Each structure stands twice: as structure tokens, then as C-alpha cells.
């Protein structure tokens, strides 16, 4: 049942305020900032390293979590795609907490990577949507993302809920290690509680995004740029676009531009820059100006403050509401998803069942 939407993907994008708010309700008591986490089963105090392993969109959620865990909890984090991790026989030993992220909980490579870590890592934690899945069953602790059934092959609401649960995990790790003051914790929880309303505001930008998508649909190649925690989101935005619209899209960390990809820039390559006005904003803007100086068409996704100082010459812009810096990847996932969705609709591709793809990849 698409609940009046044209596609399951559209329905699932629109459900995000609701599912994010349910996930927040699960991990925090009403009106409280105490984290409801199985702390007795996951001890972050003796951990010297974390490995985060997943595939596809879930892998990009892990990449985002690396920024959060390292920043808040000071634990070194290694992130790998499951198909690489499982075969390179990486050293996993005492002091390692292994964490696997999977919407379906049945992805063959992720499950194999989990089995590789059994008996080697201190603890095996999974972040799953399907709680009766193999990955959930075979881990010591399974953290539910509570996104509800996701039918569209392109993962949307599962991604934002994975991010939310990974952020809670980073907070809990920081708390256990004495690195999160009660005040900071309360501030972050209140910022999280403000997310559903902000996601609704982001969804209000849909008509603007739909208009941009009509033009994006003409492109042969699209570049996505982001810095810091927005870099994994750039990767996710590019994946979303290529899997459903079949437009070639690539993502780079903004600072990498001049090390190669800038050679691709001309008036035919739209460049999507994901840059809230955070500590790295000035740097992103200078990268963006390098693109514009080469006639590149820049679509800047930022907040009012960012758009206000970004200057002249943008091809298009999409305004997001302001949000706590650390939570921006969750909010900016919405325009990335809508952009891919409307571009695919404009191209007339099969949005919910893109060619060659399956919802759950249970063979390697
Ligand atoms: O079920 P999982 O989260 O383990 O699936 C992982 C990937 O196959 C999945 O995220 C895939 O990349 C999606 N099509 C992305 O939209």
C-alpha cells in the first residue's frame, strides 16, 4: 500500500519524520535525556578500537558514524565494505568491538563478515531493521532502527534511522567513557527531538527539488561534494542518484577536488555541494568557487546562513532549516533522496525496482 504516493520510495521518504520520532522514543524516555541502551551488554570503556562493516547505503551510514564516534567518544574507528573485510583476513582481537549495519539483516557479505569476527572481537553488535534476521540473531546485541518495512530498493528511511541509532551509539560510548557532560547530553537529545519537525521542513523543499531534478535529468554525469561528516552523505547522494536514475554520479571529499576530479568540470556537469554552515563551511565554499571558476554548475544545499554568504553565481540552491551541526547528515539525507527520486521520475525509470538490483542481496 503506497498510501496515496506514486511509489514506495516516495512514501518511505515522507515517513521519515514519523519513523525518526519513533526511534527517538525508543532510545530516550519521554521528556528525558537518559539513553535507553543495553549498557550492561555493550561495554565501551575497555574498547580500544571499533570496526564498522556493511554494504551499500548501510556502509555510508557507518562512514558517517566514524566521524561521530571518533569525535564524541575518542574511539578509533575503522570502516569497511563487507565484501572486502571478509576476505582480507583483517586482525580482529581483544579490545575490538565489531558493529554491523544492515537494513535486511540478511546481506550475505555482511553476515559472513560478522561470522569472521565471532570469537575474535570482544563484542558483536548489529544495527538492523529486521530484528528477526540472521544478522540480528547471530550478534551479541542487536539495536533496532525501527524504520518499519522498507519496500523500495533504494534505501531511504532505513538510512536516516541507521544514522540516528549510530548517533545514539556514539553518545552512549562517549557517556560511558566520561566524555559526555550531562549538559551536552541534554542539548544533543533536545536537538534530536527537534529533528522530525526539521525533516518536515526539509520535505517542504520538495517543489524546489522537483524543479531542479527536471534539469538534472538531462545530465550525463553528476558530482557530489561534501566535507567531514557530509562527505559520506555525498557518497550516499551519488549512490541514490545512480541506482534509480541511471545517471553516472560520483562523490568526492571536497578537498580532493583539485587532486583529480576537477578535470571533469565543465558546464555540462552539475555539482551538488552539501554544506551546512558549520566549522568547515568556508573550506567547502572555496572548493565550490573553484568549480564555478571552471564554468561548473553548482547546486548548493545549505541553510539560510550558508546560502546568505555563499555569494553569486550558483546554478541552483536548496535551503535547509538550521540544525545542530552533528545531526546535519540526517537532515540533509532528505534533499539527497528527493533529488534522486524526482530525477528518476523525470527520466521515467522504474523507481521502486531499478534494473539489475534486488532489495536484499543474499548471495555474494
Ligand atoms: O539490507 P542491507 O542494509 O544489508 O543492504 C545493503 C545494501 O545492499 C543496500 O543498502 C543497497 O545499497 C541499497 N540498494 C541502497 O539504496
Amino acid at each position: 500500500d503506497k498510501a496515496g504516493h506514486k511509489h514506495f520510495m516516495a512514501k518511505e521518504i515522507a515517513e521519515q519524520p514519523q519513523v525518526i520520532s519513533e526511534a527517538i522514543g525508543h532510545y530516550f524516555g519521554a521528556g528525558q535525556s537518559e539513553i535507553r541502551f543495553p549498557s550492561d551488554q555493550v561495554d565501551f570503556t575497555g574498547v580500544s578500537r571499533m570496526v564498522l562493516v556493511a554494504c551499500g547505503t548501510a556502509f555510508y551510514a557507518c562512514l558517517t558514524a566514524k566521524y561521530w564516534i571518533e569525535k564524541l567518544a575518542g574511539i578509533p574507528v575503522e570502516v569497511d565494505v563487507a565484501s572486502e573485510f571478509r576476505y582480507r583476513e583483517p586482525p580482529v582481537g581483544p579490545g575490538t568491538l565489531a558493529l554491523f549495519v544492515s537494513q535486511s539483516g540478511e546481506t550475505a557479505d555482511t553476515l559472513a563478515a560478522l561470522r569472521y569476527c565471532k570469537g575474535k572481537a570482544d563484542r558483536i553488535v548489529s544495527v538492523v531493521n529486521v530484528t528477526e534476521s540472521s544478522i540480528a540473531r547471530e550478534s551479541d546485541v542487536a539495536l533496532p532502527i525501527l524504520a518499519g518495512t522498507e519496500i523500495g530498493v533504494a534505501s531511504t528511511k532505513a538510512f536516516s534511522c541507521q544514522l540516528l541509532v549510530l548517533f545514539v551509539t556514539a553518545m552512549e560510548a562517549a557517556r560511558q567513557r566520561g566524555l559526555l557532560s550531562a549538559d551536552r547530553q541534554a542539548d544533543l537529545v533536545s536537538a534530536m527531538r527537534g529533528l522530525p519537525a526539521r525533516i518536515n521542513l526539509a520535505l517542504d523543499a520538495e517543489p524546489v527539488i522537483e524543479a531542479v531534478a527536471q534539469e538534472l535529468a538531462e545530465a550525463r554525469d553528476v558530482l557530489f561534494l561534501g566535507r567531514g561528516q557530509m562527505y559520506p552523505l555525498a557518497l550516499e547522494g551519488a549512490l541514490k542518484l545512480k541506482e534509480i536514475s541511471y545517471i553516472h554520479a560520483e562523490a568526492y571529499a571536497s578537498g580532493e577536488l583539485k587532486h583529480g576530479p576537477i578535470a571533469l568540470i565543465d558546464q555540462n556537469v552539475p555539482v551538488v555541494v552539501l554544506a551546512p554552515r558549520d566549522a568547515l563551511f568556508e573550506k567547502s565554499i572555496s572548493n565550490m568557487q573553484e568549480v564555478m571558476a571552471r564554468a561548473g554548475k553548482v547546486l548548493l544545499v545549505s541553510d539560510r546562513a550558508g546560502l546568505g554568504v555563499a555569494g553569486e553565481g550558483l546554478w541552483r540552491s536548496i535551503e535547509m532549516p538550521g540544525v545542530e551541526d552533528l545531526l546535519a547528515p540526517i537532515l540533509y539525507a532528505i534533499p539527497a533522496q528527493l533529488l534522486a527520486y524526482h530525477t528518476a521520475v523525470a527520466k521515467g525509470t522504474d523507481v521502486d525496482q531499478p534494473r539489475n538490483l534486488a532489495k536484499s542481496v543474499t548471495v555474494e
Side-chain angles (χ1 to χ4, degrees):
D1 176 19
K2 295 180 195 147
H5 293 274
K6 242 170 101 184
H7 299 97
F8 282 109
M9 184 180 177
K11 169 176 177 267
E12 289 158 4
I13 291 173
E15 278 171 353
Q16 288 175 105
Q18 179 61 27
V19 291
I20 284 287
S21 124
E22 274 159 29
I24 293 169
H26 178 90
Y27 287 97
F28 303 95
Q32 290 169 10
S33 54
E34 200 179 306
I35 310 173
R36 286 193 189 141
F37 196 90
S39 314
D40 50 330
Q41 296 171 66
V42 190
D43 176 13
F44 289 100
T45 60
V47 165
S48 55
R49 148 188 198 246
M50 285 174 70
V51 294
L52 273 49
V53 181
C55 301
T57 287
F59 169 67
Y60 297 138
C62 292
L63 276 183
T64 315
K66 174 183 168 80
Y67 288 83
W68 289 334
I69 297 167
E70 291 189 341
K71 184 164 192 140
L72 292 173
I75 304 171
V77 175
E78 188 192 332
V79 186
D80 210 346
V81 288
S83 55
E84 286 301 309
F85 182 87
R86 63 180 289 197
Y87 289 117
R88 75 187 159 84
E89 298 179 26
V92 175
T96 303
L97 189 147
L99 188 146
F100 302 86
V101 180
S102 175
Q103 187 283 129
S104 63
E106 301 296 346
T107 300
D109 282 323
T110 310
L111 182 58
L114 182 156
R115 288 178 177 154
Y116 172 84
C117 289
K118 273 196 180 176
K120 296 189 182 79
D122 284 355
R123 212 83 187 130
I124 306 234
V125 179
S126 61
V127 172
V128 292
N129 196 28
V130 181
T131 48
E132 305 80 35
S133 58
S134 308
I135 288 174
R137 256 196 324 272
E138 295 197 26
S139 40
D140 298 317
V141 179
L143 302 171
I145 64 166
L146 304 132
T149 309
E150 190 181 66
I151 292 172
V153 164
S155 186
T156 53
K157 62 176 180 169
F159 178 66
S160 51
C161 289
Q162 283 163 352
L163 288 180
L164 187 100
V165 174
L166 289 165
F167 189 76
V168 172
T169 305
M171 280 177 68
E172 169 66 9
R175 190 196 63 79
Q176 285 189 20
R177 292 163 80 91
L179 293 170
L180 189 66
S181 71
D183 282 355
R184 178 72 173 135
Q185 181 170 334
D187 285 350
L188 289 177
V189 176
S190 111
M192 287 169 97
R193 291 193 195 281
L195 265 179
R198 284 178 174 73
I199 294 176
N200 266 317
L201 290 171
L203 290 167
D204 287 345
E206 187 158 4
V208 177
I209 298 174
E210 190 175 350
V212 177
Q214 305 308 309
E215 299 181 69
L216 211 63
E218 307 294 320
R220 208 187 62 173
D221 310 281
V222 177
L223 274 187
F224 284 75
L225 298 179
R227 262 187 188 262
Q229 52 172 17
M230 302 309 278
Y231 167 48
L233 186 66
L235 290 161
E236 167 63 3
L239 174 65
K240 236 34 351 145
L241 187 67
K242 68 187 123 186
E243 72 179 325
I244 60 169
S245 78
Y246 315 146
I247 293 174
H248 168 236
E250 278 194 77
Y252 283 93
S254 308
E256 274 292 288
L257 198 63
K258 56 168 77 68
H259 298 285
I262 199 160
L264 295 171
I265 302 296
D266 64 16
Q267 66 284 359
N268 299 316
V269 183
V271 180
V272 182
V273 179
L274 302 163
R277 191 166 189 192
D278 59 14
L280 296 172
F281 183 73
E282 304 301 330
K283 304 229 174 265
S284 303
I285 293 310
S286 86
N287 299 133
M288 188 185 92
Q289 281 156 353
E290 289 159 10
V291 170
M292 296 192 317
R294 284 152 188 91
K297 293 159 72 175
V298 172
L299 162 59
L300 176 61
V301 188
S302 186
D303 44 35
R304 179 163 301 176
L307 294 175
V309 296
E312 305 280 289
L314 293 175
W315 171 56
R316 295 283 180 268
S317 64
I318 298 172
E319 185 178 325
M320 288 293 104
V323 67
E324 149 69 44
D325 284 356
L326 288 171
L327 298 176
I330 304 181
L331 184 68
Y332 283 60
I334 311 306
Q337 296 164 354
L338 286 172
L339 202 58
Y341 173 74
H342 284 292
T343 305
V345 170
K347 291 198 72 175
T349 52
D350 188 344
V351 170
D352 285 332
Q353 296 271 292
R355 67 187 183 200
N356 311 338
L357 291 175
K359 181 65 184 162
S360 181
V361 184
T362 52
V363 291
E364 63 170 297

